[in-house]
């Protein structure tokens, strides 16, 4: 909805379902934050803010530090921590309970 914030994660920034959700969010007036490995992607261009994680992905985005973990594991683990930190900080700043957040979760469907 107008004034909402959508935070998406997509290593490539080209994931079709994420791109569709991003476009829908922008159409209804929501702000968009993307956590990605590619700052020059389709979804990144739609985003109001990007958090770029330099990590190996299955698409060969910025490899960042070397890792023996397969495909996008390092990116996905780092993204999970980033989501948790952002969520906790927003909940504190906006004084929003977990129950209130659950009511608005996935309201774009």
């Amino acid at each position: 909805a107008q004034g909402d914030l959508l935070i998406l994660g997509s290593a490539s920034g080209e994931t079709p379902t994420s791109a569709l959700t991003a476009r829908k969010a922008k159409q209804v007036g929501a702000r968009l934050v993307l956590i990605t490995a590619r700052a020059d992607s389709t979804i990144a261009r739609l985003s109001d803010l990007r958090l770029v994680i330099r990590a190996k992905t299955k698409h060969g985005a910025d490899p960042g530090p070397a890792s023996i973990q397969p495909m996008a594991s390092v990116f996905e683990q780092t993204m999970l921590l980033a989501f948790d930190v952002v969520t906790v900080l927003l909940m504190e700043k906006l004084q929003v309970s977990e129950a209130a957040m659950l009511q608005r979760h996935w309201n774009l469907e």
Side-chain angles (χ1 to χ4, degrees):
Q2 179 76 28
D4 279 357
L5 174 66
L6 174 64
I7 305 171
L8 285 175
S10 172
S12 68
E14 302 292 342
T15 308
T17 54
S18 295
L20 182 65
T21 302
R23 286 185 187 96
K24 187 170 184 179
K26 296 307 287 183
Q27 286 172 354
V28 300
R31 290 174 293 171
L32 177 61
V33 173
L34 174 66
I35 300 175
T36 188
R38 287 194 43 218
D40 62 341
S41 65
T42 298
I43 302 171
R45 287 188 291 276
L46 293 169
S47 300
D48 298 294
L49 181 67
R50 301 172 234 14
L51 171 59
V52 179
I53 297 172
R54 293 189 60 220
K56 181 175 121 178
T57 71
K58 63 185 178 186
H59 300 289
D62 188 345
S67 174
I68 62 169
Q69 291 183 284
M71 298 187 308
S73 293
V74 172
F75 173 81
E76 291 164 354
Q77 292 163 0
T78 305
M79 181 177 63
L80 176 64
L81 291 172
F83 270 122
D84 280 350
V85 169
V86 169
T87 300
V88 169
L89 291 173
L90 283 172
M91 288 174 68
E92 288 176 357
K93 182 172 180 68
L94 301 173
Q95 297 181 359
V96 175
S97 69
E98 188 174 344
M101 288 178 48
L102 186 58
Q103 290 177 331
R104 296 189 307 206
H105 186 74
W106 277 111
N107 66 354
L108 291 172
E109 289 184 334

